[in-house]
């Protein structure tokens, strides 16, 4: 009964989405406020209905209702509760439901918090948002319905892919979807502006917090995925330039660009056309990510819907929204008024440079991801575009971006003085040089570029801190004055500083791990020892062990350093009960210096030894720490009062100009 | 019915919320685009002042920003919304009220129509726990089995659970599970004739009628407890037959038949086996070396019955003893190894203990050697073989049998 109620709620939500697509838009086109007003209640009703549907499906999973085909295919009654819940979105159908739920949640948030938006803008935004929900809702009902029932009810389910049974992965998809789907709001605002043929002053102010929220979630989602791949897949790497990773990385790059161009648009009412285009492109890249992952074009852990029919359906949805959006853009962009002018050396100029580099980087990733697919589709030739391609294209674009990054916040709007800014950044440059010398002294080996890149990372970190110091007049003002200034600085400034600092932290982590990783592959018999990066590892043996829904061969390795015991690691090989699938669990010792990463391999037939892979990944934690700092920075910036749009005062029209003059 | 009422309530509530703005009186004042823009500009002006006070921008910058904003503000305040909108308005038809009524009519119909095409309204929810807590009359056997299985996963040392489920498995023809369950209940609760019998029967059935070593040991045990038990004697003879010891098998079958009750329904089965053995021996003595065709082990072939009374046509006879090839037996043993390891070990240890006290039991030694060999305990098998040789001292027939066994099992001595 609960299942069927959820099913009906889903159907009704799709019908409501149809209403919400048509009626408010009709209202704005015929200038009838009563029709426009329906957007708000419709968005809220749609969210509530989808929430009911989602909770009904979750209930079916939690109670192991094996009359639901989707539960049978993806759950098992012996699975721990948390993985029964995460199993809801650990499959194609359930994750599509989560997708439209988040879509509706963003729409409802605009409806609830958007009272101060012009009525027609709100109606158009919610109408576009509902049209996306409608497309995906029909897609779910037609090809991927999670509520279909089975006549013959099996006694137990087939279980969730064991490598997805992991805490980091339980929450990786929701954040990732919140990121992907969050960009839909920027898209809806862009389309709404194109429909109206003008951009309200509040447009950029409105787009920015939504983009920021989506960007935060995407940052965390990608970081979680990378962290999971690092400790679960047992390759010791954290990023593989895998097409599925790239599919999430492209919207992130474009979204980062959008975040910065919206800033220019808000402050100077310029770059309007570009920002609109970027908003359309960012969401298009999100849709393309969904298509790549779900169409079966890619084979990977993520490709859980290997079904060409669905692929074609998603391709159709993508074509409609991307094609429609770009066509509307081509038609209407000319009518948008351009704003203020600026000199090349200025805050605007710096942000334009940021946009140019980020979008070019997006394009290189796009080519590297799609070219092999296209080639395979056309000629059948399989080529692999791996790290070498991205190292040669993506990385060279990031270096100027990182070098220019600290300059941006120092530059004033309209026109700036590059020499003066360079002088302010002198301390960051000195610190960077120290870091470079220190790196060279500590490591005699490694690529020649590595110390320079370490210096760049430190420079970005120091530059971010220095901006804060400059704003607070540290070094020139008294202690009380500095404290007063620090207190008064708007949170968006702290957000900027933190985010840029996080980028620097991440760069240091990436460079250190990539350039100075130690790897050893060897066979050890119980009692043997190995030396890895200053640690002494003693292999104690392997013992069988039983978990809640798996059995494993648990290796024991004692780790010593300079004669003192540090820790005991347990790399293991697991076999899950249902479905019976082997996985490998790395034993990891984390420290600030870096991670000691141990992987248990196969038993050697002849002598009772085991193959092992040992890695030492210096400073690898900084990669995810950097991402976490960026996430927090987004939150700090979001809490800034200035991102909230001022409500229009309900004064009569005649009084308004007078009031403004008084304020002058 | 309750489901449909719930659907109706939800749909009605949704429609009421959607239609409310449509049925309102002429819409009042809301934020027009112009007012919204002006509010933003005023906010930005205030921010410029705040930024200047904080020292984020200097006075000149603030002044130029204010000038720019003021210009935008004035421009916007003279521009009404309608003039700014570049698209011509569509006619306001149908009226909002008409749309409200149309919505009220179409939304539920559309939703119900789609739902009826996809949903299963008559199907109740079936959470696992509810299915497992159904009263036994309502629950099918499968549900009950699943319930006990779920319990046994929680408490695998609960012997009574295994004891209860084992015969059910047997009846459901889940022989492998039955064999495992019987062996668990014997391990946890001890041997009883019923459990031993169940174990032996399910193990044989799980192995397609091949009396593998654990089953054979179990029948041996039954026979120790109840000398003269027909079933055990029959299956032990079958084991002999499958091992190729036709003479012993024939003797065993005949003994079973001799003291069988007059109306025993299984008499014909035993007779069929005897006939089959006779046919095999005829074939053997006739020296036929044509390729062997396999017969299902332990299966009853009606043709076998005729073979005892008629001269066997060479084409229909088997050149080799019936039953599984040695590969089949090996495979069957391999299959059952995991499940029955504990049981086999216990049986083997008991046998070893018994032989220690009574070393003259030559057949016992043979079984032990074979059992150790099957278990892969070669050293123990070799040791047992040495002991067996001691008990066979001076008996050439026994020594010959030991030699045959040793070469069959590939043992060193």
């Amino acid at each position: 009964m609960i299942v069927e109620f959820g099913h009906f709620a889903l159907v009704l939500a799709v019908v409501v989405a149809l209403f919400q697509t048509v009626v408010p838009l009709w209202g704005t086109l015929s200038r009838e406020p009563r029709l426009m007003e329906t957007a708000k209640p419709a968005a809220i009703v749609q969210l509530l209905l989808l929430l009911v549907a989602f909770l009904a499906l979750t209930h079916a999973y939690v109670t192991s209702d094996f009359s639901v085909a989707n539960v049978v295919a993806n759950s098992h009654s012996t699975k721990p509760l948390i993985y029964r819940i995460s199993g809801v979105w650990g499959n194609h159908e359930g994750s599509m439901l989560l997708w439209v739920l988040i879509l509706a949640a963003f729409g409802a948030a605009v409806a609830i918090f958007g009272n101060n938006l012009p009525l027609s803008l709100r109606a158009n935004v919610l109408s576009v948002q509902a049209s996306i929900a409608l497309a995906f809702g029909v897609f779910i009902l037609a090809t991927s319905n999670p509520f279909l029932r089975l006549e013959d009810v099996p006694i137990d389910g087939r279980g969730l892919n064991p490598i997805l049974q992991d805490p980091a992965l339980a929450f990786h998809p929701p954040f990732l979807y919140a990121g992907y789907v969050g960009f839909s709001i920027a898209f809806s605002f862009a389309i709404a502006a194109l429909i109206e043929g003008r951009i309200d002053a509040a447009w950029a102010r409105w787009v920015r917090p939504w983009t920021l929220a989506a960007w935060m979630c995407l940052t965390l989602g990608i970081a979680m995925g990378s962290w999971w791949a690092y400790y679960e897949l047992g390759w010791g790497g954290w990023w593989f330039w895998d097409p599925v990773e790239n599919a999430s990385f492209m919207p992130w790059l474009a979204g980062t660009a959008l975040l910065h161009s919206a800033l220019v648009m808000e402050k100077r009412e310029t770059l309007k056309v570009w920002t609109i285009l970027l908003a359309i492109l960012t969401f298009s890249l999100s849709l393309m990510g969904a298509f790549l992952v779900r169409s079966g074009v890619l084979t990977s852990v993520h490709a859980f819907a290997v079904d060409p029919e669905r692929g074609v359906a998603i391709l159709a949805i993508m074509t409609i929204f991307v094609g429609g959006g770009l066509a509307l853009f081509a038609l209407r962009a000319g009518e948008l008024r351009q704003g203020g002018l600026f000199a090349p050396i200025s805050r605007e100029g710096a942000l334009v440079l940021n946009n140019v580099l980020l979008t070019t980087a997006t394009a290189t990733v796009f080519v590297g991801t799609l070219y092999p697919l296209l080639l395979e589709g056309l000629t059948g030739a399989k080529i692999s575009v791996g790290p070498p391609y991205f190292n040669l294209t993506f990385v060279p674009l990031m270096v100027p971006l990182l070098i220019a990054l600290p300059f941006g916040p120092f530059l004033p709007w309209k026109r700036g003085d590059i020499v003066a800014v360079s002088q302010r950044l002198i301390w960051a440059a000195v610190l960077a040089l120290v870091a470079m010398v220190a790196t060279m002294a500590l490591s005699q080996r490694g690529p020649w570029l590595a110390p320079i890149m370490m210096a760049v990372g430190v420079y970005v970190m120091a530059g971010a801190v220095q901006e804060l110091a400059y704003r607070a007049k540290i070094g020139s003002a008294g202690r009380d004055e500095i404290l007063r200034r620090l207190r008064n600085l708007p949170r968006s400034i702290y957000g900027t500083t933190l985010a840029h600092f996080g980028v620097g932290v991440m760069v240091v982590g990436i460079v250190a791990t990539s350039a100075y990783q130690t790897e050893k592959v060897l066979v050890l018999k119980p009692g043997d020892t190995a030396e890895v990066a200053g640690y002494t590892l003693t292999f104690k043996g392997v013992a069988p062990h039983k978990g809640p829904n798996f059995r494993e061969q648990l290796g024991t390795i004692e780790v010593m350093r300079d004669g003192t015991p540090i820790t005991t690691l347990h790399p293991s090989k697991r076999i899950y009960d249902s479905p019976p699938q082997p996985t490998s669990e790395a034993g990891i010792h984390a420290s600030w210096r870096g991670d000691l990463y141990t992987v248990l391999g196969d038993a050697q037939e002849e002598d009772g030894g085991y193959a092992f892979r040992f890695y030492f990944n210096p400073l690898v934690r900084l990669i995810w720490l950097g991402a976490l700092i960026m996430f927090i920075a987004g939150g700090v910036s979001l809490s800034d009062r200035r991102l909230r749009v001022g409500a229009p005062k309900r004064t009569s029209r005649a009084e308004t100009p007078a009031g403004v003059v008084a304020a002058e | 019915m309750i489901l449909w009422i719930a659907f109706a309530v939800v749909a009605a509530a949704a429609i009421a919320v959607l239609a409310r703005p449509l049925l309102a009186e002429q819409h009042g004042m809301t934020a027009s685009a112009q007012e919204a823009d002006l509010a933003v500009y005023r906010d930005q002006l205030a921010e410029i002042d705040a930024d200047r006070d904080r020292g984020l921008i200097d006075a000149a910058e603030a002044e130029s920003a204010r000038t720019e904003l003021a210009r935008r503000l004035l421009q916007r305040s003279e521009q009404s919304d309608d003039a700014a909108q570049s698209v011509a308005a569509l006619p306001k038809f149908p009226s909002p009220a008409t749309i409200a009524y149309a919505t009220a009519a179409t939304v539920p119909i559309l939703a119900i129509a789609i739902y009826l095409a996809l949903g299963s309204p008559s199907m109740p929810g079936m959470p696992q726990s509810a299915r497992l807590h159904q009263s036994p009359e309502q629950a099918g056997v499968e549900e009950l089995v699943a319930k006990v299985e779920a319990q046994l996963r929680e408490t695998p040392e609960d012997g009574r659970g295994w004891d209860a489920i084992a015969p059910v498995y047997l009846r459901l023809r889940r022989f492998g599970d039955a064999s495992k369950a019987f062996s668990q209940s014997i391990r946890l609760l001890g041997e009883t004739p019923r459990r031993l019998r169940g174990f032996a029967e399910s193990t044989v059935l799980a192995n397609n009628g091949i009396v593998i070593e654990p089953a054979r040991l179990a029948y041996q045990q039954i026979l120790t407890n109840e000398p003269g038990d027909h079933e055990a004697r029959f299956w032990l003879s079958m084991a002999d037959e499958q091992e190729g010891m036709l003479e012993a098998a024939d003797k065993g079958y005949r003994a079973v038949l001799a003291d069988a009750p007059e109306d025993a329904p299984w008499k014909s089965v035993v007779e069929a086996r005897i006939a089959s053995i006779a046919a095999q021996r005829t074939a053997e003595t006739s020296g036929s070396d044509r390729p062997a065709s396999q017969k299902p082990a332990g299966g009853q072939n009606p043709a076998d019955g005729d073979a005892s009374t008629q001269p066997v046509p060479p084409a229909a006879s088997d050149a080799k003893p019936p039953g599984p090839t040695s590969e089949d037996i090996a495979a069957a043993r391999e299959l059952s190894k995991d499940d029955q390891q504990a049981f086999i070990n216990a049986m083997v240890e008991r046998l070893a203990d018994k032989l220690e006290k009574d070393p003259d039991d030559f057949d016992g030694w043979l079984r032990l050697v074979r059992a150790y060999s099957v278990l892969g305990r070669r050293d123990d098998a070799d040791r047992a073989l040495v002991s067996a040789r001691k008990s066979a001292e001076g008996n050439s027939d026994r020594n010959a049998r030991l030699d045959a066994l040793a070469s069959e099992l590939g043992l060193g001595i």
Side-chain angles (χ1 to χ4, degrees), chain B residues 100-122:
Chain B
Y101 298 132
T103 303
T106 49
V107 165
I109 291 174
L110 202 54
I112 295 283
I114 297 173
Y115 172 76
L116 279 179
L118 302 171
S120 318
S122 58

mmCIF file of all heavy atoms in Angstrom, chain B residues 100-122:
data_model
loop_
_atom_site.group_PDB
_atom_site.id
_atom_site.type_symbol
_atom_site.label_atom_id
_atom_site.label_comp_id
_atom_site.label_asym_id
_atom_site.label_seq_id
_atom_site.Cartn_x
_atom_site.Cartn_y
_atom_site.Cartn_z
ATOM 1 N N ALA B 100 -8.542 27.023 -13.813
ATOM 2 C CA ALA B 100 -8.664 26.324 -12.533
ATOM 3 C C ALA B 100 -9.584 25.112 -12.670
ATOM 4 O O ALA B 100 -9.251 24.012 -12.213
ATOM 5 C CB ALA B 100 -9.213 27.280 -11.469
ATOM 6 N N TYR B 101 -10.724 25.312 -13.330
ATOM 7 C CA TYR B 101 -11.672 24.193 -13.469
ATOM 8 C C TYR B 101 -11.080 23.109 -14.381
ATOM 9 O O TYR B 101 -11.214 21.917 -14.119
ATOM 10 C CB TYR B 101 -13.025 24.677 -13.995
ATOM 11 C CG TYR B 101 -13.676 25.657 -13.048
ATOM 12 C CD1 TYR B 101 -14.209 26.858 -13.499
ATOM 13 C CD2 TYR B 101 -13.728 25.368 -11.673
ATOM 14 C CE1 TYR B 101 -14.786 27.763 -12.612
ATOM 15 C CE2 TYR B 101 -14.288 26.256 -10.786
ATOM 16 C CZ TYR B 101 -14.820 27.467 -11.258
ATOM 17 O OH TYR B 101 -15.363 28.349 -10.371
ATOM 18 N N ALA B 102 -10.434 23.550 -15.443
ATOM 19 C CA ALA B 102 -9.814 22.572 -16.352
ATOM 20 C C ALA B 102 -8.754 21.757 -15.608
ATOM 21 O O ALA B 102 -8.653 20.535 -15.781
ATOM 22 C CB ALA B 102 -9.185 23.300 -17.540
ATOM 23 N N THR B 103 -7.983 22.443 -14.754
ATOM 24 C CA THR B 103 -6.974 21.742 -13.960
ATOM 25 C C THR B 103 -7.628 20.702 -13.063
ATOM 26 O O THR B 103 -7.197 19.546 -12.988
ATOM 27 C CB THR B 103 -6.208 22.758 -13.090
ATOM 28 O OG1 THR B 103 -5.637 23.735 -13.939
ATOM 29 C CG2 THR B 103 -5.124 22.066 -12.294
ATOM 30 N N ALA B 104 -8.699 21.138 -12.375
ATOM 31 C CA ALA B 104 -9.376 20.233 -11.447
ATOM 32 C C ALA B 104 -9.904 19.003 -12.173
ATOM 33 O O ALA B 104 -9.971 17.907 -11.607
ATOM 34 C CB ALA B 104 -10.518 20.959 -10.750
ATOM 35 N N ALA B 105 -10.260 19.176 -13.445
ATOM 36 C CA ALA B 105 -10.803 18.036 -14.191
ATOM 37 C C ALA B 105 -9.688 17.153 -14.750
ATOM 38 O O ALA B 105 -9.752 15.929 -14.656
ATOM 39 C CB ALA B 105 -11.689 18.537 -15.321
ATOM 40 N N THR B 106 -8.651 17.781 -15.306
ATOM 41 C CA THR B 106 -7.671 16.978 -16.050
ATOM 42 C C THR B 106 -6.580 16.365 -15.175
ATOM 43 O O THR B 106 -6.149 15.240 -15.418
ATOM 44 C CB THR B 106 -6.986 17.818 -17.147
ATOM 45 O OG1 THR B 106 -6.557 19.036 -16.558
ATOM 46 C CG2 THR B 106 -7.929 18.101 -18.278
ATOM 47 N N VAL B 107 -6.149 17.098 -14.144
ATOM 48 C CA VAL B 107 -5.026 16.582 -13.345
ATOM 49 C C VAL B 107 -5.337 15.197 -12.754
ATOM 50 O O VAL B 107 -4.551 14.264 -12.929
ATOM 51 C CB VAL B 107 -4.601 17.601 -12.264
ATOM 52 C CG1 VAL B 107 -3.705 16.948 -11.212
ATOM 53 C CG2 VAL B 107 -3.867 18.767 -12.916
ATOM 54 N N PRO B 108 -6.506 15.037 -12.064
ATOM 55 C CA PRO B 108 -6.754 13.693 -11.503
ATOM 56 C C PRO B 108 -6.947 12.634 -12.579
ATOM 57 O O PRO B 108 -6.443 11.509 -12.440
ATOM 58 C CB PRO B 108 -8.021 13.852 -10.680
ATOM 59 C CG PRO B 108 -8.529 15.204 -10.926
ATOM 60 C CD PRO B 108 -7.542 15.991 -11.699
ATOM 61 N N ILE B 109 -7.605 12.983 -13.659
ATOM 62 C CA ILE B 109 -7.844 11.979 -14.708
ATOM 63 C C ILE B 109 -6.521 11.520 -15.306
ATOM 64 O O ILE B 109 -6.254 10.327 -15.455
ATOM 65 C CB ILE B 109 -8.768 12.563 -15.802
ATOM 66 C CG1 ILE B 109 -10.173 12.748 -15.231
ATOM 67 C CG2 ILE B 109 -8.791 11.655 -17.023
ATOM 68 C CD1 ILE B 109 -11.130 13.439 -16.165
ATOM 69 N N LEU B 110 -5.668 12.498 -15.600
ATOM 70 C CA LEU B 110 -4.369 12.171 -16.181
ATOM 71 C C LEU B 110 -3.558 11.304 -15.222
ATOM 72 O O LEU B 110 -2.989 10.274 -15.606
ATOM 73 C CB LEU B 110 -3.632 13.484 -16.479
ATOM 74 C CG LEU B 110 -2.527 13.452 -17.525
ATOM 75 C CD1 LEU B 110 -3.051 12.870 -18.824
ATOM 76 C CD2 LEU B 110 -1.980 14.855 -17.752
ATOM 77 N N ALA B 111 -3.543 11.707 -13.955
ATOM 78 C CA ALA B 111 -2.741 10.977 -12.967
ATOM 79 C C ALA B 111 -3.253 9.554 -12.806
ATOM 80 O O ALA B 111 -2.472 8.596 -12.805
ATOM 81 C CB ALA B 111 -2.752 11.716 -11.628
ATOM 82 N N ILE B 112 -4.566 9.407 -12.677
ATOM 83 C CA ILE B 112 -5.141 8.065 -12.487
ATOM 84 C C ILE B 112 -4.879 7.203 -13.725
ATOM 85 O O ILE B 112 -4.541 6.021 -13.623
ATOM 86 C CB ILE B 112 -6.660 8.164 -12.213
ATOM 87 C CG1 ILE B 112 -6.911 8.885 -10.889
ATOM 88 C CG2 ILE B 112 -7.289 6.777 -12.205
ATOM 89 C CD1 ILE B 112 -6.673 8.078 -9.657
ATOM 90 N N ALA B 113 -5.036 7.817 -14.906
ATOM 91 C CA ALA B 113 -4.846 7.049 -16.138
ATOM 92 C C ALA B 113 -3.415 6.518 -16.219
ATOM 93 O O ALA B 113 -3.186 5.336 -16.495
ATOM 94 C CB ALA B 113 -5.154 7.922 -17.347
ATOM 95 N N ILE B 114 -2.447 7.405 -15.945
ATOM 96 C CA ILE B 114 -1.048 6.953 -16.012
ATOM 97 C C ILE B 114 -0.794 5.902 -14.938
ATOM 98 O O ILE B 114 -0.163 4.871 -15.179
ATOM 99 C CB ILE B 114 -0.090 8.147 -15.828
ATOM 100 C CG1 ILE B 114 -0.268 9.156 -16.959
ATOM 101 C CG2 ILE B 114 1.355 7.670 -15.792
ATOM 102 C CD1 ILE B 114 0.512 10.432 -16.777
ATOM 103 N N TYR B 115 -1.340 6.167 -13.741
ATOM 104 C CA TYR B 115 -1.089 5.237 -12.646
ATOM 105 C C TYR B 115 -1.666 3.861 -12.973
ATOM 106 O O TYR B 115 -1.021 2.834 -12.735
ATOM 107 C CB TYR B 115 -1.680 5.759 -11.334
ATOM 108 C CG TYR B 115 -1.595 4.723 -10.248
ATOM 109 C CD1 TYR B 115 -0.387 4.463 -9.617
ATOM 110 C CD2 TYR B 115 -2.707 3.963 -9.904
ATOM 111 C CE1 TYR B 115 -0.287 3.482 -8.662
ATOM 112 C CE2 TYR B 115 -2.614 2.978 -8.941
ATOM 113 C CZ TYR B 115 -1.406 2.741 -8.326
ATOM 114 O OH TYR B 115 -1.299 1.753 -7.391
ATOM 115 N N LEU B 116 -2.891 3.838 -13.522
ATOM 116 C CA LEU B 116 -3.513 2.541 -13.821
ATOM 117 C C LEU B 116 -2.694 1.765 -14.842
ATOM 118 O O LEU B 116 -2.634 0.543 -14.814
ATOM 119 C CB LEU B 116 -4.938 2.743 -14.333
ATOM 120 C CG LEU B 116 -5.976 2.966 -13.236
ATOM 121 C CD1 LEU B 116 -7.352 3.182 -13.840
ATOM 122 C CD2 LEU B 116 -5.999 1.796 -12.257
ATOM 123 N N ALA B 117 -2.071 2.510 -15.751
ATOM 124 C CA ALA B 117 -1.257 1.823 -16.758
ATOM 125 C C ALA B 117 0.009 1.213 -16.167
ATOM 126 O O ALA B 117 0.518 0.219 -16.674
ATOM 127 C CB ALA B 117 -0.890 2.810 -17.871
ATOM 128 N N LEU B 118 0.512 1.808 -15.085
ATOM 129 C CA LEU B 118 1.816 1.370 -14.561
ATOM 130 C C LEU B 118 1.732 0.644 -13.230
ATOM 131 O O LEU B 118 2.537 -0.236 -12.943
ATOM 132 C CB LEU B 118 2.737 2.591 -14.377
ATOM 133 C CG LEU B 118 3.028 3.434 -15.607
ATOM 134 C CD1 LEU B 118 3.751 4.707 -15.206
ATOM 135 C CD2 LEU B 118 3.881 2.643 -16.589
ATOM 136 N N GLY B 119 0.773 1.036 -12.383
ATOM 137 C CA GLY B 119 0.777 0.573 -10.996
ATOM 138 C C GLY B 119 0.107 -0.776 -10.803
ATOM 139 O O GLY B 119 -0.470 -1.353 -11.719
ATOM 140 N N SER B 120 0.230 -1.291 -9.585
ATOM 141 C CA SER B 120 -0.428 -2.539 -9.212
ATOM 142 C C SER B 120 -1.255 -2.273 -7.955
ATOM 143 O O SER B 120 -0.863 -2.664 -6.861
ATOM 144 C CB SER B 120 0.589 -3.628 -8.921
ATOM 145 O OG SER B 120 1.617 -3.591 -9.867
ATOM 146 N N PRO B 121 -2.393 -1.570 -8.113
ATOM 147 C CA PRO B 121 -3.120 -1.109 -6.927
ATOM 148 C C PRO B 121 -3.616 -2.242 -6.032
ATOM 149 O O PRO B 121 -3.809 -2.046 -4.839
ATOM 150 C CB PRO B 121 -4.297 -0.326 -7.514
ATOM 151 C CG PRO B 121 -4.397 -0.760 -8.925
ATOM 152 C CD PRO B 121 -3.017 -1.139 -9.357
ATOM 153 N N SER B 122 -3.814 -3.433 -6.596
ATOM 154 C CA SER B 122 -4.388 -4.497 -5.777
ATOM 155 C C SER B 122 -3.321 -5.236 -4.987
ATOM 156 O O SER B 122 -3.615 -6.113 -4.188
ATOM 157 C CB SER B 122 -5.117 -5.486 -6.673
ATOM 158 O OG SER B 122 -4.212 -5.993 -7.618
#
